Amino acid sequence: DAGQLDLVRVLASAGTPIALVLVTGRPRLLHGVEALPQVNAVLQSFLPGPHGGAALADALVGTFEPSGRLPISWPTAASSLLYPHWHAVTQQCDGSPNCGVAWPFGHGLSYSRLQ
């Protein structure tokens, strides 16, 4: 929704740190919001169910450390929506410049760092 994108951009212009929480059933175009320097975290929840709100809140306040890997490649342009996103992009993409991804298949981070 354009209003939500505008809200994120306004918050980013104010210097407010942002945790982008995506609750979607499929990848959505983010129009560069994920690349804003104030977006410190992105948490994806695919259709979390009736207890998903509590689980998301617990993840955001640090009660537990969310972990996992994307089962899809997240597109950056509408033209890359033509490719199946349940494969690594190198398996399906023809190398065109509009075939970029924000996060590739299998991407995922956590709060902690292993040394």
Side-chain angles (χ1 to χ4, degrees):
D1 178 61
Q4 291 176 343
L5 293 173
D6 291 341
L7 175 62
V8 172
R9 289 189 178 108
V10 167
L11 290 172
S13 70
T16 305
I18 298 170
L20 185 61
V21 178
L22 304 171
V23 181
T24 63
R26 63 181 176 87
R28 302 275 183 178
L29 296 179
L30 300 176
H31 304 286
V33 169
E34 75 284 359
L36 292 172
Q38 291 82 3
V39 175
N40 300 101
V42 179
L43 181 61
Q44 169 62 46
S45 176
F46 290 104
L47 304 176
H51 301 287
L56 285 171
D58 286 344
L60 289 171
V61 299
T63 303
F64 73 94
E65 181 177 346
S67 63
R69 301 290 180 250
L70 276 177
I72 57 167
S73 292
W74 202 280
T76 56
S79 58
S80 65
L81 294 173
L82 302 173
Y83 301 97
H85 296 288
W86 52 90
H87 296 286
V89 81
T90 55
Q91 294 174 342
Q92 299 294 323
C93 190
D94 64 2
S96 68
N98 294 327
C99 193
V101 295
W103 304 288
F105 177 89
H107 180 77
L109 302 172
S110 64
Y111 296 146
S112 61
R113 294 193 176 142
L114 300 175
Q115 296 180 348

